[in-house]
Amino acid sequence: MMERIVEANGIRLWCETFGDSADPALLLVMGLGARGATWPDELCRLLQEGGRYVIRYDNRDTGLSGRVDYEANPYTMVDLAQDAVGLLDGLGIATADVVGASMGGMIAQEIALEHADRLRSLTVIMSSAEPLDPATNTFRGTVRDPRLAAWDAEQIANPPSTREEHVESHLKLARILAGQLTPFDEAATRVIIEREIENATDAGHASKNHILAAFASRDRSGLVGSITAPTLVIHGSDDPMAPFAHGQALAAAIPGSEFLPIEGMGHGFPPPVIPRISAAILRHTGR
């Protein structure tokens, strides 16, 4: 593994690479408020062993990447896609296989729409082409899961102020998002959450700005039909954040795409599905 800072689109972006830079590049784009290190180490290892040069990075406003005053400099998913392309430029990479999860899947769609010449293939995991609705704080056409609504209300009424309070609140969220595939592993999840907020002076900054960016971003549901990159859509049947129908609709809208449903998976990467997801990505990107 190698860590570095790359200047991209006027933003300092932290990234970490795995493997041989001579191998085909595979860019992992993470979601709302989450660090690049949220991509499971095991998934990165399997992709590297499959002959890929794996790159995971912190989006602007997360982790070790640069922070933005959103009020003074608002941005959208299109800008975050430009960050990703700028990162590839900084690493000297002409084209990459792009894999996005959750909001990272939204960014990945924008890369495919705005920078089609920079990606060889597209993989979208637990995401949607629909815009986020500020009125409901969820994807358009989706009824907000009452558990998520209650968690949101609790954050507003009693915002966490200490590191431990942030960890505990995100543990509650992780339990909601976990799905039914395996029993919830609190110890392992706590380690991931603690790593996510490591080096974050304000753990709520990224989430707040990313939500604003998602609200300000365009509806892609009528645009993704123009995506020409080979596309794989992976979605869990128990996803409370981006319900299963969103993955189905996205796959149906992109010509020639492949849809991989995973029974019992929620909004995350439970260890039992990581070998299956890595194998699917390696097969898809190896076409």
Side-chain angles (χ1 to χ4, degrees):
M1 297 187 297
M2 179 180 296
E3 297 184 43
R4 65 185 78 181
I5 297 290
V6 174
E7 192 78 23
N9 202 19
I11 305 289
R12 293 174 68 254
L13 296 179
W14 172 92
C15 71
E16 186 174 37
T17 59
F18 301 74
D20 188 341
S21 60
D23 288 335
L26 194 153
L27 180 67
L28 301 175
V29 189
M30 187 34 75
L32 194 150
R35 293 199 62 190
T38 305
W39 286 100
D41 292 343
E42 178 68 3
L43 177 62
C44 295
R45 183 186 66 78
L46 290 171
L47 293 172
Q48 175 191 347
E49 290 178 354
R52 303 299 185 270
Y53 180 53
V54 181
I55 307 152
R56 62 183 182 185
Y57 71 101
D58 290 345
N59 283 304
R60 64 168 73 180
D61 281 325
T62 64
L64 295 174
S65 287
R67 292 172 56 136
V68 173
D69 179 346
Y70 186 89
E71 216 171 284
N73 298 287
Y75 57 87
T76 69
M77 297 300 116
V78 172
D79 298 298
L80 293 173
Q82 182 63 54
D83 288 354
V85 171
L87 175 65
L88 294 178
D89 289 340
L91 295 174
I93 295 170
T95 61
D97 296 293
V98 176
V99 181
S102 193
M103 189 188 82
M106 299 161 67
I107 298 169
Q109 292 168 53
E110 293 291 5
I111 297 172
L113 289 167
E114 296 293 317
H115 307 278
D117 60 326
R118 302 303 299 273
L119 81 172
R120 290 188 298 268
S121 71
L122 171 66
T123 300
V124 180
I125 306 171
M126 53 192 175
S127 192
S128 176
E130 297 286 349
L132 279 185
D133 182 353
T136 61
N137 200 26
T138 190
F139 292 108
R140 186 182 64 184
T142 300
V143 176
R144 184 72 165 162
D145 187 295
R147 299 169 298 168
L148 290 173
W151 186 85
D152 282 343
E154 183 180 351
Q155 300 306 295
I156 294 170
N158 300 293
S161 58
T162 67
R163 182 184 179 86
E164 186 55 32
E165 286 175 355
H166 278 290
V167 171
E168 291 301 322
S169 70
H170 281 82
L171 269 174
K172 289 181 182 179
L173 178 61
R175 289 190 190 95
I176 296 169
L177 299 178
Q180 304 299 315
L181 193 64
T182 57
F184 182 71
D185 188 336
E186 179 170 329
T189 306
R190 179 180 289 275
V191 169
I192 293 170
I193 292 170
E194 288 176 344
R195 184 167 63 176
E196 282 182 3
I197 66 174
E198 184 181 3
N199 300 309
T201 55
D202 177 359
H205 176 83
S207 294
K208 180 182 73 173
N209 281 6
H210 286 179
I211 288 171
L212 292 173
F215 288 160
S217 294
R218 63 184 178 176
D219 177 3
R220 294 173 308 282
S221 57
L223 302 174
V224 293
S226 65
I227 290 176
T228 57
T231 301
L232 169 65
V233 178
I234 302 174
H235 217 101
S237 65
D238 291 353
D239 191 330
M241 182 75 78
F244 187 66
H246 286 266
Q248 291 177 305
L250 178 60
I254 300 175
S257 67
E258 177 187 353
F259 183 55
L260 174 61
I262 299 184
E263 187 66 32
M265 188 175 89
H267 201 78
F269 293 96
V273 307
I274 288 175
R276 184 177 179 188
I277 289 175
S278 65
I281 293 171
L282 288 171
R283 177 180 52 77
H284 176 63
T285 58
R287 289 179 177 177

